[in-house]
mmCIF file with all atom_site columns, all heavy atoms in Angstrom:
data_model
loop_
_atom_site.group_PDB
_atom_site.id
_atom_site.type_symbol
_atom_site.label_atom_id
_atom_site.label_alt_id
_atom_site.label_comp_id
_atom_site.label_asym_id
_atom_site.label_entity_id
_atom_site.label_seq_id
_atom_site.pdbx_PDB_ins_code
_atom_site.Cartn_x
_atom_site.Cartn_y
_atom_site.Cartn_z
_atom_site.occupancy
_atom_site.B_iso_or_equiv
_atom_site.pdbx_formal_charge
_atom_site.auth_seq_id
_atom_site.auth_comp_id
_atom_site.auth_asym_id
_atom_site.auth_atom_id
_atom_site.pdbx_PDB_model_num
ATOM 1   N N   . LEU Z 1 8   ? 36.502 -0.946  -0.140  1.00 0.00 ? 8   LEU Z N   1
ATOM 2   C CA  . LEU Z 1 8   ? 37.431 -0.764  0.985   1.00 0.00 ? 8   LEU Z CA  1
ATOM 3   C C   . LEU Z 1 8   ? 37.474 0.729   1.290   1.00 0.00 ? 8   LEU Z C   1
ATOM 4   O O   . LEU Z 1 8   ? 37.651 1.545   0.384   1.00 0.00 ? 8   LEU Z O   1
ATOM 5   C CB  . LEU Z 1 8   ? 38.839 -1.228  0.607   1.00 0.00 ? 8   LEU Z CB  1
ATOM 6   C CG  . LEU Z 1 8   ? 38.998 -2.648  0.049   1.00 0.00 ? 8   LEU Z CG  1
ATOM 7   C CD1 . LEU Z 1 8   ? 40.424 -2.874  -0.442  1.00 0.00 ? 8   LEU Z CD1 1
ATOM 8   C CD2 . LEU Z 1 8   ? 38.639 -3.671  1.124   1.00 0.00 ? 8   LEU Z CD2 1
ATOM 9   N N   . GLN Z 1 19  ? 33.986 -4.476  -11.137 1.00 0.00 ? 19  GLN Z N   1
ATOM 10  C CA  . GLN Z 1 19  ? 33.109 -5.606  -11.457 1.00 0.00 ? 19  GLN Z CA  1
ATOM 11  C C   . GLN Z 1 19  ? 33.032 -5.881  -12.950 1.00 0.00 ? 19  GLN Z C   1
ATOM 12  O O   . GLN Z 1 19  ? 32.545 -6.930  -13.365 1.00 0.00 ? 19  GLN Z O   1
ATOM 13  C CB  . GLN Z 1 19  ? 31.735 -5.372  -10.840 1.00 0.00 ? 19  GLN Z CB  1
ATOM 14  C CG  . GLN Z 1 19  ? 31.831 -5.217  -9.341  1.00 0.00 ? 19  GLN Z CG  1
ATOM 15  C CD  . GLN Z 1 19  ? 30.532 -5.427  -8.615  1.00 0.00 ? 19  GLN Z CD  1
ATOM 16  O OE1 . GLN Z 1 19  ? 29.621 -6.093  -9.096  1.00 0.00 ? 19  GLN Z OE1 1
ATOM 17  N NE2 . GLN Z 1 19  ? 30.445 -4.869  -7.419  1.00 0.00 ? 19  GLN Z NE2 1
ATOM 18  N N   . LEU Z 1 22  ? 35.560 -8.826  -13.578 1.00 0.00 ? 22  LEU Z N   1
ATOM 19  C CA  . LEU Z 1 22  ? 35.310 -10.149 -12.985 1.00 0.00 ? 22  LEU Z CA  1
ATOM 20  C C   . LEU Z 1 22  ? 34.628 -11.070 -13.996 1.00 0.00 ? 22  LEU Z C   1
ATOM 21  O O   . LEU Z 1 22  ? 33.906 -10.595 -14.857 1.00 0.00 ? 22  LEU Z O   1
ATOM 22  C CB  . LEU Z 1 22  ? 34.423 -10.006 -11.739 1.00 0.00 ? 22  LEU Z CB  1
ATOM 23  C CG  . LEU Z 1 22  ? 35.118 -9.382  -10.530 1.00 0.00 ? 22  LEU Z CG  1
ATOM 24  C CD1 . LEU Z 1 22  ? 34.100 -9.083  -9.433  1.00 0.00 ? 22  LEU Z CD1 1
ATOM 25  C CD2 . LEU Z 1 22  ? 36.202 -10.303 -9.992  1.00 0.00 ? 22  LEU Z CD2 1
ATOM 26  N N   . GLY Z 1 59  ? 30.570 9.473   -2.605  1.00 0.00 ? 59  GLY Z N   1
ATOM 27  C CA  . GLY Z 1 59  ? 30.717 10.507  -3.637  1.00 0.00 ? 59  GLY Z CA  1
ATOM 28  C C   . GLY Z 1 59  ? 30.351 11.872  -3.080  1.00 0.00 ? 59  GLY Z C   1
ATOM 29  O O   . GLY Z 1 59  ? 31.071 12.866  -3.273  1.00 0.00 ? 59  GLY Z O   1
ATOM 30  N N   . ARG Z 1 65  ? 33.995 17.062  1.593   1.00 0.00 ? 65  ARG Z N   1
ATOM 31  C CA  . ARG Z 1 65  ? 35.328 17.192  2.192   1.00 0.00 ? 65  ARG Z CA  1
ATOM 32  C C   . ARG Z 1 65  ? 36.227 18.159  1.449   1.00 0.00 ? 65  ARG Z C   1
ATOM 33  O O   . ARG Z 1 65  ? 37.084 18.819  2.039   1.00 0.00 ? 65  ARG Z O   1
ATOM 34  C CB  . ARG Z 1 65  ? 35.995 15.822  2.256   1.00 0.00 ? 65  ARG Z CB  1
ATOM 35  C CG  . ARG Z 1 65  ? 36.052 15.404  3.696   1.00 0.00 ? 65  ARG Z CG  1
ATOM 36  C CD  . ARG Z 1 65  ? 37.157 14.571  4.123   1.00 0.00 ? 65  ARG Z CD  1
ATOM 37  N NE  . ARG Z 1 65  ? 37.713 13.749  3.101   1.00 0.00 ? 65  ARG Z NE  1
ATOM 38  C CZ  . ARG Z 1 65  ? 38.006 12.473  3.303   1.00 0.00 ? 65  ARG Z CZ  1
ATOM 39  N NH1 . ARG Z 1 65  ? 37.728 11.903  4.446   1.00 0.00 ? 65  ARG Z NH1 1
ATOM 40  N NH2 . ARG Z 1 65  ? 38.578 11.780  2.384   1.00 0.00 ? 65  ARG Z NH2 1
ATOM 41  N N   . VAL Z 1 72  ? 38.670 28.364  1.096   1.00 0.00 ? 72  VAL Z N   1
ATOM 42  C CA  . VAL Z 1 72  ? 38.334 29.427  0.173   1.00 0.00 ? 72  VAL Z CA  1
ATOM 43  C C   . VAL Z 1 72  ? 36.957 29.221  -0.452  1.00 0.00 ? 72  VAL Z C   1
ATOM 44  O O   . VAL Z 1 72  ? 36.254 30.156  -0.810  1.00 0.00 ? 72  VAL Z O   1
ATOM 45  C CB  . VAL Z 1 72  ? 39.460 29.559  -0.900  1.00 0.00 ? 72  VAL Z CB  1
ATOM 46  C CG1 . VAL Z 1 72  ? 39.406 28.414  -1.905  1.00 0.00 ? 72  VAL Z CG1 1
ATOM 47  C CG2 . VAL Z 1 72  ? 39.370 30.888  -1.630  1.00 0.00 ? 72  VAL Z CG2 1
ATOM 48  N N   . ARG Z 1 74  ? 34.469 27.804  1.117   1.00 0.00 ? 74  ARG Z N   1
ATOM 49  C CA  . ARG Z 1 74  ? 33.454 27.665  2.166   1.00 0.00 ? 74  ARG Z CA  1
ATOM 50  C C   . ARG Z 1 74  ? 32.256 28.588  1.891   1.00 0.00 ? 74  ARG Z C   1
ATOM 51  O O   . ARG Z 1 74  ? 32.425 29.728  1.485   1.00 0.00 ? 74  ARG Z O   1
ATOM 52  C CB  . ARG Z 1 74  ? 34.045 27.984  3.530   1.00 0.00 ? 74  ARG Z CB  1
ATOM 53  C CG  . ARG Z 1 74  ? 33.435 27.138  4.634   1.00 0.00 ? 74  ARG Z CG  1
ATOM 54  C CD  . ARG Z 1 74  ? 34.018 27.520  5.966   1.00 0.00 ? 74  ARG Z CD  1
ATOM 55  N NE  . ARG Z 1 74  ? 35.352 26.987  6.182   1.00 0.00 ? 74  ARG Z NE  1
ATOM 56  C CZ  . ARG Z 1 74  ? 35.592 25.754  6.635   1.00 0.00 ? 74  ARG Z CZ  1
ATOM 57  N NH1 . ARG Z 1 74  ? 34.606 24.950  6.910   1.00 0.00 ? 74  ARG Z NH1 1
ATOM 58  N NH2 . ARG Z 1 74  ? 36.822 25.359  6.828   1.00 0.00 ? 74  ARG Z NH2 1
ATOM 59  N N   . GLU Z 1 124 ? 23.963 -1.276  6.128   1.00 0.00 ? 124 GLU Z N   1
ATOM 60  C CA  . GLU Z 1 124 ? 23.581 -2.169  5.021   1.00 0.00 ? 124 GLU Z CA  1
ATOM 61  C C   . GLU Z 1 124 ? 24.122 -3.583  5.263   1.00 0.00 ? 124 GLU Z C   1
ATOM 62  O O   . GLU Z 1 124 ? 23.508 -4.569  4.881   1.00 0.00 ? 124 GLU Z O   1
ATOM 63  C CB  . GLU Z 1 124 ? 24.068 -1.621  3.675   1.00 0.00 ? 124 GLU Z CB  1
ATOM 64  C CG  . GLU Z 1 124 ? 23.342 -0.348  3.220   1.00 0.00 ? 124 GLU Z CG  1
ATOM 65  C CD  . GLU Z 1 124 ? 21.880 -0.563  2.809   1.00 0.00 ? 124 GLU Z CD  1
ATOM 66  O OE1 . GLU Z 1 124 ? 21.419 -1.703  2.681   1.00 0.00 ? 124 GLU Z OE1 1
ATOM 67  O OE2 . GLU Z 1 124 ? 21.174 0.456   2.641   1.00 0.00 ? 124 GLU Z OE2 1
ATOM 68  N N   . ALA Z 1 126 ? 24.574 -4.953  8.263   1.00 0.00 ? 126 ALA Z N   1
ATOM 69  C CA  . ALA Z 1 126 ? 23.709 -5.557  9.283   1.00 0.00 ? 126 ALA Z CA  1
ATOM 70  C C   . ALA Z 1 126 ? 22.369 -5.956  8.673   1.00 0.00 ? 126 ALA Z C   1
ATOM 71  O O   . ALA Z 1 126 ? 21.787 -6.994  9.028   1.00 0.00 ? 126 ALA Z O   1
ATOM 72  C CB  . ALA Z 1 126 ? 23.511 -4.567  10.431  1.00 0.00 ? 126 ALA Z CB  1
ATOM 73  N N   . GLU Z 1 168 ? 22.854 -18.086 3.812   1.00 0.00 ? 168 GLU Z N   1
ATOM 74  C CA  . GLU Z 1 168 ? 22.462 -18.493 5.163   1.00 0.00 ? 168 GLU Z CA  1
ATOM 75  C C   . GLU Z 1 168 ? 21.751 -19.852 5.118   1.00 0.00 ? 168 GLU Z C   1
ATOM 76  O O   . GLU Z 1 168 ? 22.006 -20.720 5.956   1.00 0.00 ? 168 GLU Z O   1
ATOM 77  C CB  . GLU Z 1 168 ? 21.566 -17.410 5.796   1.00 0.00 ? 168 GLU Z CB  1
ATOM 78  C CG  . GLU Z 1 168 ? 21.096 -17.706 7.211   1.00 0.00 ? 168 GLU Z CG  1
ATOM 79  C CD  . GLU Z 1 168 ? 22.229 -18.028 8.206   1.00 0.00 ? 168 GLU Z CD  1
ATOM 80  O OE1 . GLU Z 1 168 ? 23.341 -17.525 8.037   1.00 0.00 ? 168 GLU Z OE1 1
ATOM 81  O OE2 . GLU Z 1 168 ? 21.976 -18.816 9.146   1.00 0.00 ? 168 GLU Z OE2 1
ATOM 82  N N   . LYS Z 1 174 ? 20.333 -26.345 3.990   1.00 0.00 ? 174 LYS Z N   1
ATOM 83  C CA  . LYS Z 1 174 ? 19.039 -26.469 3.317   1.00 0.00 ? 174 LYS Z CA  1
ATOM 84  C C   . LYS Z 1 174 ? 19.118 -26.445 1.787   1.00 0.00 ? 174 LYS Z C   1
ATOM 85  O O   . LYS Z 1 174 ? 18.104 -26.668 1.128   1.00 0.00 ? 174 LYS Z O   1
ATOM 86  C CB  . LYS Z 1 174 ? 18.132 -25.313 3.769   1.00 0.00 ? 174 LYS Z CB  1
ATOM 87  C CG  . LYS Z 1 174 ? 17.681 -25.415 5.217   1.00 0.00 ? 174 LYS Z CG  1
ATOM 88  C CD  . LYS Z 1 174 ? 16.876 -24.174 5.566   1.00 0.00 ? 174 LYS Z CD  1
ATOM 89  C CE  . LYS Z 1 174 ? 16.030 -24.381 6.786   1.00 0.00 ? 174 LYS Z CE  1
ATOM 90  N NZ  . LYS Z 1 174 ? 15.265 -23.149 7.107   1.00 0.00 ? 174 LYS Z NZ  1
ATOM 91  N N   . ARG Z 1 191 ? 28.969 -13.991 -14.758 1.00 0.00 ? 191 ARG Z N   1
ATOM 92  C CA  . ARG Z 1 191 ? 30.294 -13.463 -14.373 1.00 0.00 ? 191 ARG Z CA  1
ATOM 93  C C   . ARG Z 1 191 ? 30.447 -13.321 -12.862 1.00 0.00 ? 191 ARG Z C   1
ATOM 94  O O   . ARG Z 1 191 ? 31.515 -13.583 -12.304 1.00 0.00 ? 191 ARG Z O   1
ATOM 95  C CB  . ARG Z 1 191 ? 30.522 -12.078 -15.005 1.00 0.00 ? 191 ARG Z CB  1
ATOM 96  C CG  . ARG Z 1 191 ? 30.593 -12.104 -16.530 1.00 0.00 ? 191 ARG Z CG  1
ATOM 97  C CD  . ARG Z 1 191 ? 31.034 -10.756 -17.089 1.00 0.00 ? 191 ARG Z CD  1
ATOM 98  N NE  . ARG Z 1 191 ? 30.188 -9.652  -16.681 1.00 0.00 ? 191 ARG Z NE  1
ATOM 99  C CZ  . ARG Z 1 191 ? 30.504 -8.734  -15.774 1.00 0.00 ? 191 ARG Z CZ  1
ATOM 100 N NH1 . ARG Z 1 191 ? 31.671 -8.766  -15.173 1.00 0.00 ? 191 ARG Z NH1 1
ATOM 101 N NH2 . ARG Z 1 191 ? 29.665 -7.763  -15.464 1.00 0.00 ? 191 ARG Z NH2 1
ATOM 102 N N   . TRP Z 1 195 ? 30.823 -16.696 -9.715  1.00 0.00 ? 195 TRP Z N   1
ATOM 103 C CA  . TRP Z 1 195 ? 32.095 -16.452 -9.014  1.00 0.00 ? 195 TRP Z CA  1
ATOM 104 C C   . TRP Z 1 195 ? 31.890 -16.499 -7.499  1.00 0.00 ? 195 TRP Z C   1
ATOM 105 O O   . TRP Z 1 195 ? 32.645 -17.133 -6.759  1.00 0.00 ? 195 TRP Z O   1
ATOM 106 C CB  . TRP Z 1 195 ? 32.623 -15.080 -9.456  1.00 0.00 ? 195 TRP Z CB  1
ATOM 107 C CG  . TRP Z 1 195 ? 33.996 -14.739 -9.019  1.00 0.00 ? 195 TRP Z CG  1
ATOM 108 C CD1 . TRP Z 1 195 ? 35.153 -15.328 -9.431  1.00 0.00 ? 195 TRP Z CD1 1
ATOM 109 C CD2 . TRP Z 1 195 ? 34.356 -13.710 -8.095  1.00 0.00 ? 195 TRP Z CD2 1
ATOM 110 N NE1 . TRP Z 1 195 ? 36.226 -14.711 -8.816  1.00 0.00 ? 195 TRP Z NE1 1
ATOM 111 C CE2 . TRP Z 1 195 ? 35.768 -13.718 -8.003  1.00 0.00 ? 195 TRP Z CE2 1
ATOM 112 C CE3 . TRP Z 1 195 ? 33.649 -12.773 -7.352  1.00 0.00 ? 195 TRP Z CE3 1
ATOM 113 C CZ2 . TRP Z 1 195 ? 36.470 -12.839 -7.184  1.00 0.00 ? 195 TRP Z CZ2 1
ATOM 114 C CZ3 . TRP Z 1 195 ? 34.344 -11.903 -6.547  1.00 0.00 ? 195 TRP Z CZ3 1
ATOM 115 C CH2 . TRP Z 1 195 ? 35.738 -11.932 -6.466  1.00 0.00 ? 195 TRP Z CH2 1
ATOM 116 N N   . ASP Z 1 209 ? 19.258 -17.600 -19.818 1.00 0.00 ? 209 ASP Z N   1
ATOM 117 C CA  . ASP Z 1 209 ? 18.001 -17.055 -19.300 1.00 0.00 ? 209 ASP Z CA  1
ATOM 118 C C   . ASP Z 1 209 ? 16.761 -17.782 -19.845 1.00 0.00 ? 209 ASP Z C   1
ATOM 119 O O   . ASP Z 1 209 ? 15.720 -17.792 -19.205 1.00 0.00 ? 209 ASP Z O   1
ATOM 120 C CB  . ASP Z 1 209 ? 17.920 -15.561 -19.620 1.00 0.00 ? 209 ASP Z CB  1
ATOM 121 C CG  . ASP Z 1 209 ? 19.053 -14.782 -18.950 1.00 0.00 ? 209 ASP Z CG  1
ATOM 122 O OD1 . ASP Z 1 209 ? 19.410 -15.122 -17.804 1.00 0.00 ? 209 ASP Z OD1 1
ATOM 123 O OD2 . ASP Z 1 209 ? 19.582 -13.852 -19.572 1.00 0.00 ? 209 ASP Z OD2 1
ATOM 124 N N   . ASN Z 1 210 ? 16.903 -18.365 -21.020 1.00 0.00 ? 210 ASN Z N   1
ATOM 125 C CA  . ASN Z 1 210 ? 15.723 -19.006 -21.633 1.00 0.00 ? 210 ASN Z CA  1
ATOM 126 C C   . ASN Z 1 210 ? 15.543 -20.469 -21.211 1.00 0.00 ? 210 ASN Z C   1
ATOM 127 O O   . ASN Z 1 210 ? 14.731 -21.186 -21.778 1.00 0.00 ? 210 ASN Z O   1
ATOM 128 C CB  . ASN Z 1 210 ? 15.797 -18.888 -23.169 1.00 0.00 ? 210 ASN Z CB  1
ATOM 129 C CG  . ASN Z 1 210 ? 17.153 -19.313 -23.709 1.00 0.00 ? 210 ASN Z CG  1
ATOM 130 O OD1 . ASN Z 1 210 ? 18.025 -19.741 -22.953 1.00 0.00 ? 210 ASN Z OD1 1
ATOM 131 N ND2 . ASN Z 1 210 ? 17.330 -19.217 -25.011 1.00 0.00 ? 210 ASN Z ND2 1
ATOM 132 N N   . ALA Z 1 263 ? 15.418 -2.028  3.575   1.00 0.00 ? 263 ALA Z N   1
ATOM 133 C CA  . ALA Z 1 263 ? 14.463 -0.913  3.636   1.00 0.00 ? 263 ALA Z CA  1
ATOM 134 C C   . ALA Z 1 263 ? 14.850 0.218   2.685   1.00 0.00 ? 263 ALA Z C   1
ATOM 135 O O   . ALA Z 1 263 ? 13.980 0.919   2.154   1.00 0.00 ? 263 ALA Z O   1
ATOM 136 C CB  . ALA Z 1 263 ? 14.384 -0.395  5.071   1.00 0.00 ? 263 ALA Z CB  1
ATOM 137 N N   . GLU Z 1 279 ? 15.753 2.277   -16.372 1.00 0.00 ? 279 GLU Z N   1
ATOM 138 C CA  . GLU Z 1 279 ? 16.967 2.701   -17.080 1.00 0.00 ? 279 GLU Z CA  1
ATOM 139 C C   . GLU Z 1 279 ? 17.077 2.002   -18.437 1.00 0.00 ? 279 GLU Z C   1
ATOM 140 O O   . GLU Z 1 279 ? 16.898 0.796   -18.530 1.00 0.00 ? 279 GLU Z O   1
ATOM 141 C CB  . GLU Z 1 279 ? 18.186 2.326   -16.218 1.00 0.00 ? 279 GLU Z CB  1
ATOM 142 C CG  . GLU Z 1 279 ? 19.512 2.662   -16.844 1.00 0.00 ? 279 GLU Z CG  1
ATOM 143 C CD  . GLU Z 1 279 ? 20.692 2.209   -15.964 1.00 0.00 ? 279 GLU Z CD  1
ATOM 144 O OE1 . GLU Z 1 279 ? 20.479 1.502   -14.964 1.00 0.00 ? 279 GLU Z OE1 1
ATOM 145 O OE2 . GLU Z 1 279 ? 21.821 2.580   -16.300 1.00 0.00 ? 279 GLU Z OE2 1
ATOM 146 N N   . SER Z 1 283 ? 22.843 0.498   -26.626 1.00 0.00 ? 283 SER Z N   1
ATOM 147 C CA  . SER Z 1 283 ? 22.516 -0.622  -27.513 1.00 0.00 ? 283 SER Z CA  1
ATOM 148 C C   . SER Z 1 283 ? 23.715 -1.564  -27.691 1.00 0.00 ? 283 SER Z C   1
ATOM 149 O O   . SER Z 1 283 ? 23.554 -2.747  -27.971 1.00 0.00 ? 283 SER Z O   1
ATOM 150 C CB  . SER Z 1 283 ? 22.047 -0.113  -28.872 1.00 0.00 ? 283 SER Z CB  1
ATOM 151 O OG  . SER Z 1 283 ? 22.981 0.793   -29.389 1.00 0.00 ? 283 SER Z OG  1
ATOM 152 N N   . LYS Z 1 302 ? 16.487 -2.637  -28.329 1.00 0.00 ? 302 LYS Z N   1
ATOM 153 C CA  . LYS Z 1 302 ? 15.838 -2.189  -27.088 1.00 0.00 ? 302 LYS Z CA  1
ATOM 154 C C   . LYS Z 1 302 ? 16.700 -2.717  -25.951 1.00 0.00 ? 302 LYS Z C   1
ATOM 155 O O   . LYS Z 1 302 ? 17.091 -3.894  -25.971 1.00 0.00 ? 302 LYS Z O   1
ATOM 156 C CB  . LYS Z 1 302 ? 14.447 -2.818  -26.961 1.00 0.00 ? 302 LYS Z CB  1
ATOM 157 C CG  . LYS Z 1 302 ? 13.420 -2.208  -27.871 1.00 0.00 ? 302 LYS Z CG  1
ATOM 158 C CD  . LYS Z 1 302 ? 12.691 -1.126  -27.119 1.00 0.00 ? 302 LYS Z CD  1
ATOM 159 C CE  . LYS Z 1 302 ? 11.546 -0.579  -27.942 1.00 0.00 ? 302 LYS Z CE  1
ATOM 160 N NZ  . LYS Z 1 302 ? 11.066 0.689   -27.370 1.00 0.00 ? 302 LYS Z NZ  1
ATOM 161 N N   . THR Z 1 315 ? 5.437  -14.010 -3.788  1.00 0.00 ? 315 THR Z N   1
ATOM 162 C CA  . THR Z 1 315 ? 4.955  -14.776 -2.628  1.00 0.00 ? 315 THR Z CA  1
ATOM 163 C C   . THR Z 1 315 ? 5.232  -14.001 -1.339  1.00 0.00 ? 315 THR Z C   1
ATOM 164 O O   . THR Z 1 315 ? 4.394  -13.937 -0.446  1.00 0.00 ? 315 THR Z O   1
ATOM 165 C CB  . THR Z 1 315 ? 5.671  -16.150 -2.567  1.00 0.00 ? 315 THR Z CB  1
ATOM 166 O OG1 . THR Z 1 315 ? 5.600  -16.733 -3.866  1.00 0.00 ? 315 THR Z OG1 1
ATOM 167 C CG2 . THR Z 1 315 ? 5.052  -17.069 -1.545  1.00 0.00 ? 315 THR Z CG2 1
#
Side-chain angles (χ1 to χ4, degrees):
L8 307 173
Q19 301 199 24
L22 288 171
R65 251 211 332 225
V72 74
R74 214 182 283 276
E124 291 290 350
E168 180 54 30
K174 290 176 161 180
R191 295 189 303 105
W195 189 68
D209 298 322
N210 49 3
E279 178 182 9
S283 52
K302 285 266 186 195
T315 311

